[in-house]
Amino acid sequence: MDTPEFDPDCQVKGTAFTKKNYRDVYPAVDPTRPELSQDGKVVIITGASRGLGQMGFAVSFARANAAAIVLLGRSSEGLAKTESLVKEINPATKVLSISVDVTDEAGMNKAFETAVEKLGVPHVLVNNAGALVKLDTIVNTDVESWWKTQEINVKGTFIATKAFLKHTGDTPSEPTTIINLISMAAQGIPPGMSSYSPAKLAVSKFTQFLAMEHPTITSVNLDPGVAATDMGHGVPYLAPFIGDTPELSGGTAVWLATGDKSFLSGKYVSVCWNVEELESRRRK
């Protein structure tokens, strides 16, 4: 009996909301398009020392000609690498790297104050910092690692967002965007993710509250798909499905930070979905 051919895109197709779907950058989300220019904008990215923060968001906003990019992360060495990449791509973009733990409220508040003092009020926040501390069953997972996953993903997003809103105000005079990284794990019951899955579900709900409380700020849940990051490679059963590029996440984030995307505020968006089709259905 022949073994059915495995389709590495089955997860993308199974969660598709649009007719066309992508796993890499395509013209509509190409950050070098003049229509997606971030000229004049200050962008803050958490978890910027590696993975999506580095190769996706920082790189893409640099290509989109952001006026300034603030890189927040724990690894000074990783931040230096990200800063070097940004400067290589776009020497005109100002870069400020600050080593800080996203769960450190005092440290994060100071980091945002420093950013505003040196670069001005930010326009975009990408809450990218996240972690899956341990992949295991509930019985075998220790309380500390289970709760650490919650703290990094939920508490970290909360702290960064509060610090951001402190400087933008409730009704910012310029277009302002908050992008919260979530995961398709929030929609299912993936083995070993009893902490990570609920954490991303909590972030998703948190984004809905942001949209309700701050209607003039566009707050979106962004699912990066299954990307080739340390976290992605850390889940063995996801290996056959890895294929969504960090650049796709970065380009989609740039698109979300451009023009009026308020119709997506409080909602879930997968980087795999065709943004042109989303735009065409905005009235629905």
Side-chain angles (χ1 to χ4, degrees):
M1 184 176 179
D2 293 335
T3 303
E5 184 178 349
F6 174 76
D7 182 1
D9 297 328
C10 61
Q11 286 205 61
V12 176
K13 295 174 181 177
T15 58
F17 181 71
T18 57
K19 294 179 180 179
K20 288 184 179 180
N21 293 276
Y22 303 88
R23 307 203 71 181
D24 198 359
V25 174
Y26 55 101
V29 296
D30 180 349
T32 64
R33 287 180 59 206
E35 298 89 342
L36 298 184
S37 174
Q38 301 297 298
D39 185 35
K41 291 187 177 181
V42 176
V43 181
I44 298 182
I45 303 169
T46 68
S49 61
R50 61 176 182 169
L52 292 174
Q54 182 181 85
M55 300 306 299
F57 304 116
V59 164
S60 296
F61 276 99
R63 288 180 176 143
N65 201 36
I69 299 177
V70 181
L71 307 172
L72 305 181
R74 291 181 299 171
S75 170
S76 298
E77 182 179 346
L79 290 174
K81 182 179 179 181
T82 306
E83 182 170 338
S84 178
L85 285 171
V86 170
K87 289 181 177 179
E88 182 180 340
I89 292 169
N90 191 345
T93 295
K94 296 179 181 179
V95 186
L96 175 62
S97 297
I98 302 176
S99 179
V100 62
D101 188 323
V102 75
T103 63
D104 176 5
E105 183 179 5
M108 287 290 286
N109 284 335
K110 184 178 180 180
F112 274 78
E113 288 168 3
T114 299
V116 172
E117 180 182 341
K118 293 186 175 182
L119 302 170
V121 175
H123 305 85
V124 181
L125 171 63
V126 181
N127 275 315
N128 167 69
L132 172 56
V133 177
K134 188 176 183 180
L135 186 70
D136 211 336
T137 62
I138 294 173
V139 171
N140 293 324
T141 301
D142 58 281
V143 173
E144 184 177 353
S145 63
W146 194 94
W147 191 246
K148 187 67 175 178
T149 297
Q150 296 283 326
E151 284 197 321
I152 295 172
N153 291 284
V154 183
K155 182 180 178 182
T157 297
F158 176 64
I159 288 174
T161 302
K162 276 183 67 70
F164 181 76
L165 293 173
K166 177 182 177 181
H167 296 285
T168 64
D170 292 336
T171 55
S173 58
E174 297 185 49
T176 303
T177 308
I178 298 175
I179 298 172
N180 292 331
L181 269 287
I182 58 164
S183 167
M184 64 176 66
Q187 302 182 48
I189 312 174
M193 296 192 189
S194 66
S195 181
Y196 182 77
S197 179
K200 288 302 183 181
L201 186 59
V203 171
S204 177
K205 199 69 179 179
F206 175 72
T207 305
Q208 293 178 355
F209 274 91
L210 277 176
M212 178 186 68
E213 295 177 6
H214 301 275
T216 62
I217 296 176
T218 298
S219 302
V220 182
N221 287 307
L222 185 64
D223 182 346
V226 188
T229 61
D230 290 344
M231 189 183 300
H233 288 303
V235 183
Y237 57 78
L238 289 181
F241 308 104
I242 291 177
D244 303 303
T245 67
E247 291 81 4
L248 177 58
S249 289
T252 305
V254 169
W255 179 83
L256 286 169
T258 307
D260 180 12
K261 298 302 188 301
S262 58
F263 71 102
L264 292 172
S265 199
K267 296 181 173 60
Y268 167 101
V269 174
S270 167
V271 299
C272 300
W273 296 348
N274 178 7
V275 299
E276 292 173 304
E277 188 176 337
L278 291 179
E279 187 82 54
S280 70
R281 298 164 66 178
R282 64 186 297 146
R283 291 182 181 276
K284 298 180 181 180

